[in-house]
Amino acid sequence: MDDATLVALARSGDGDAFGQLVTRYRRAAFLVALSVIGRPEDAEDAAQEAFLVALERLDDCRRPSRFGGWLMTIVRNRSNNLVRREALRATEQIPFSARSSTPTPEKEAQLSELRDEIARALGELPEVQRQIVLLHDLEGWKHREIAQRLGLPAGTVRSHLHYARKSLRKLLKPGE
Amino acid sequence: MVDNGSIPLELLDPGNSDPGHWARFQARVMALAGPELARRRATRPLTVGEVLASWWRLLVPASVVAAAAMASLLMPAETTPGAGIAIEEALVAGVDDEPLPAVLVADQVDEVAFLVAIEGGG
């Protein structure tokens, strides 16, 4: 079922339809939030909040066939609000980090270290490049889909993706 | 760190190390969305089909009751067996002569006797 049909059904309170929309966009929403906030726990909260706001404002979605792009705008806004709230609460800079606080076995510790390295490298990129590289390389969205959902020209998406990958490889190169 | 050029971004996906992660996320969102979904179900406008269905649900029992009432009104109050006039009686009503026995009894048909009876009677 396409987005427009699911949105129409969800507008009349169809839980299954809304559930399908959540399934379709939950990881993308998380990744966009992560690219703004930098902390997985907060990114998840922002993504969750964005879905609930989207449901409440579903009647304002003027182009239901482009629900994904509309949702990502909400995710970015909620994430930016969260970052601003955090910034007011604490004066320290919010790092882009995916660190885990739970003790782990040796292999998990290595993975955790690698995860932190990647997160740190991503933190060096501009926000738009983080979003694009995560949505393309992790969520599997095509250039055209990213362009449509983030409201960017397709050529710009390709260019950002190219530079993002190049920067990440350089930042994660052994010995650097 | 990244020796073959590919960056293992999947490590950033919480579902990568915890297969049930996204199912739990989904369950949380759906639980929190419950009241809003219920509100939407309660306030949504009825479709043409639903209006027709509601009429149908009302009209069918009403029609059955009306039909039963009309049937009870149209039925005669009392029916007595034999009240109608039998065909045989109607045919012989007002005829003084005796009916021809050979004609009236099928298994005794005899053409000669019949003709004699006709000729003789005429």
Side-chain angles (χ1 to χ4, degrees):
Chain A
M1 226 183 283
D2 62 13
D3 282 4
T5 309
L6 292 173
V7 168
L9 289 168
R11 275 176 177 165
S12 55
D14 187 323
D16 288 341
F18 181 66
Q20 282 189 54
L21 288 169
V22 175
T23 306
R24 196 170 287 180
Y25 291 107
R26 62 194 181 190
R27 215 164 72 135
F30 165 77
L31 293 173
V32 167
L34 184 66
S35 70
V36 176
I37 299 168
R39 290 185 304 271
E41 298 83 7
D42 290 341
E44 210 168 293
D45 288 346
Q48 178 181 297
E49 202 181 324
F51 275 114
L52 298 172
V53 170
L55 177 62
E56 282 170 17
R57 298 183 187 166
L58 211 49
D59 299 328
D60 299 337
C61 180
R62 280 175 288 181
R63 299 173 77 177
S65 60
R66 299 205 171 172
F67 172 81
W70 181 73
L71 176 70
M72 293 311 136
T73 305
I74 296 175
V75 172
R76 279 199 301 276
N77 289 340
R78 305 309 289 188
S79 302
N80 283 322
N81 288 346
L82 203 143
V83 169
R84 273 196 289 272
R85 282 203 302 269
E86 287 290 319
L88 285 173
R89 216 173 289 165
T91 50
E92 63 182 90
Q93 194 186 1
I94 298 166
F96 187 93
S97 167
R99 60 182 170 270
S100 169
S101 57
T102 52
T104 55
E106 190 180 343
K107 193 175 176 184
E108 179 56 33
Q110 286 172 355
L111 284 174
S112 180
E113 192 183 332
L114 178 56
R115 193 160 41 227
D116 285 355
E117 287 296 322
I118 294 167
R120 260 194 292 276
L122 276 169
E124 299 289 321
L125 303 181
E127 187 186 308
V128 66
Q129 289 189 9
R130 283 201 293 268
Q131 283 176 30
I132 290 169
V133 77
L134 287 173
L135 289 173
H136 188 276
D137 291 354
L138 187 49
E139 186 59 6
W141 283 9
K142 295 180 177 67
H143 297 105
R144 183 178 47 79
E145 291 173 313
I146 296 172
Q148 195 183 68
R149 288 165 185 169
L150 296 187
L152 296 168
T156 307
V157 171
R158 283 176 201 278
S159 166
H160 277 312
L161 184 62
H162 171 75
Y163 284 113
R165 283 172 172 167
K166 197 174 166 185
S167 301
L168 283 177
R169 283 197 197 97
K170 192 177 170 188
L171 289 163
L172 295 168
K173 208 171 165 183
E176 290 196 8
Chain B
M1 186 65 61
V2 179
D3 45 7
N4 61 357
S6 67
I7 302 151
L9 290 174
E10 65 275 8
L11 288 174
L12 296 177
D13 177 5
N16 190 47
S17 54
D18 176 8
H21 180 87
W22 289 116
R24 289 197 301 278
F25 175 87
Q26 179 101 12
R28 275 200 308 276
V29 172
M30 293 310 290
L32 291 167
E36 174 63 15
L37 288 167
R39 187 192 68 76
R40 286 178 173 275
R41 279 194 297 275
T43 57
R44 77 193 162 106
L46 290 175
T47 63
V48 173
E50 285 167 337
V51 171
L52 290 176
S54 69
W55 288 355
W56 182 254
R57 279 194 297 273
L58 182 69
L59 281 176
V60 167
S63 304
V64 169
V65 170
M70 290 304 292
S72 68
L73 286 173
L74 291 173
M75 289 274 277
E78 190 179 336
T79 55
T80 51
I85 303 169
I87 292 172
E88 291 83 356
E89 290 173 12
L91 288 172
V92 298
V95 179
D96 297 334
D97 293 341
E98 284 295 314
L100 293 173
V103 175
L104 294 176
V105 183
D107 59 350
Q108 292 176 1
V109 171
D110 182 341
E111 290 86 355
V112 176
F114 178 73
L115 287 171
V116 168
I118 296 294
E119 292 296 325

